[in-house]
Amino acid sequence: MRFDVMTLFPEYCDTVLSESIIGRARKNGYVEVNFHNIRDYSENKHRNVDDTPYGGGKGMLMAAPPVYNCYKAICDKLGEEKPYVVYMTPQGKTLTQQTAMRLSSYNNIVILCGHYEGIDVRVTDEIVDEEISIGDYVLTGGELPACILIDCVSRLCPNVLSADECFEKESHSDGLLEYPQYTRPYEFHGVKVPDVLISGHHGNIEKWRKEAALEITARKRPDMLKK
Ligand code: ADE
């Protein structure tokens, strides 16, 4: 799977995505992430990418030409295959595990990170396939949301997680939160591991985990059960 991130801060994202599991997946070639500095595609000598909005109002907007030029350069590199373009914006649909699963089936995803007060709508209308938000709050830019999307989608791609890091039974994969987990020591601050988990009886353990997942979801996220 390949991601191309259009941003004004390429080093920012690269640092975040060079650590831990995603860093390992990139090194091993299971996920490719390329960063493109939109400023490199500015058409003026000061390398400006922003301008004041028509009609007045506060703040600056990202202008259409550098964003479009950057997108075109990525498409030219990719050749025949048109990438799926995602724009990180608080106006988008909220990211869910289901969205991540759907996106993990694409070969090429381009992620556009906004800044300032937004982007000239003519370019987003032309190139964007889907708008995604990471929640109902506003950040200073789309870089952190892009990193979150890449992390969340990449870990669903083949070979990114090892067998013991598998995602099949984790929270949100089946509409429930994950059951509680325990490891050594057997007793911690007076609290023992539930007997069933040391019984060795796989059927009972499975049943206990299902019930515990339901109970924990009802307690922490009752809205998920209503769905
Ligand atoms: N850019 C700024 N805030 C954002 C959010 N909540 N989600 C996605 N992109 C954003």
Side-chain angles (χ1 to χ4, degrees):
M1 163 137 223
R2 170 178 169 148
F3 296 94
D4 287 90
V5 183
M6 300 165 61
T7 168
L8 292 174
F9 301 98
E11 290 85 14
Y12 181 159
C13 301
D14 199 13
T15 305
V16 172
L17 297 169
S18 295
E19 298 290 331
S20 184
I21 294 171
I22 306 303
R24 180 183 75 195
R26 288 176 69 194
K27 271 197 203 105
N28 293 336
Y30 297 125
V31 176
E32 181 180 338
V33 191
N34 303 294
F35 301 97
H36 308 269
N37 192 339
I38 297 170
R39 202 172 289 286
D40 292 342
Y41 298 88
S42 166
E43 290 177 343
N44 68 54
K45 66 172 189 275
H46 302 295
R47 304 206 333 134
N48 287 341
V49 290
D50 59 330
D51 212 332
T52 52
Y54 276 108
K58 275 200 215 128
M60 301 292 269
L61 281 185
M62 257 160 101
V67 174
Y68 187 75
N69 297 341
C70 182
Y71 165 73
K72 271 299 287 169
I74 295 168
C75 290
D76 289 349
K77 248 188 229 146
L78 289 175
E80 298 278 277
E81 212 171 337
K82 193 208 157 304
Y84 193 71
V85 181
V86 175
Y87 172 30
M88 305 311 300
T89 163
Q91 294 193 358
K93 284 232 174 75
T94 309
L95 177 62
T96 63
Q97 192 65 23
Q98 280 65 41
T99 313
M101 284 192 234
R102 175 169 52 79
L103 293 179
S104 69
S105 65
Y106 287 96
N107 292 329
N108 294 302
I109 296 183
V110 168
I111 304 178
L112 172 58
C113 305
H115 249 274
Y116 309 114
E117 300 302 311
I119 304 180
D120 187 322
V121 69
R122 290 168 296 180
V123 69
T124 49
D125 278 354
E126 184 168 337
I127 69 171
V128 170
D129 295 303
E130 181 167 352
E131 297 188 344
I132 294 181
S133 163
I134 58 160
D136 289 343
Y137 44 80
V138 181
L139 302 168
T140 52
E143 281 72 19
L144 276 176
C147 292
I148 286 169
L149 182 68
I150 292 171
D151 185 299
C152 177
V153 172
S154 296
R155 61 193 289 289
L156 302 175
C157 296
N159 304 313
V160 171
L161 297 185
S162 58
D164 52 341
E165 291 164 345
C166 106
F167 52 79
E168 264 146 29
K169 295 225 168 105
E170 72 192 1
S171 294
H172 297 287
S173 62
D174 58 359
L176 292 179
L177 299 181
E178 193 179 20
Y179 49 80
Q181 305 253 47
Y182 300 82
T183 185
R184 271 181 282 266
Y186 169 69
E187 185 172 337
F188 175 71
H189 289 188
V191 184
K192 294 181 181 135
V193 175
D195 288 340
V196 61
L197 297 181
I198 47 173
S199 67
H201 190 298
H202 294 298
N204 285 351
I205 292 174
E206 221 24 57
K207 186 165 168 282
W208 180 87
R209 285 180 168 165
K210 267 199 193 122
E211 287 167 4
L214 264 174
E215 186 278 323
I216 215 166
T217 309
R219 184 156 45 85
K220 293 187 180 175
R221 289 289 306 275
D223 56 301
M224 286 173 67
L225 284 187
K226 276 191 206 120
K227 274 188 210 149

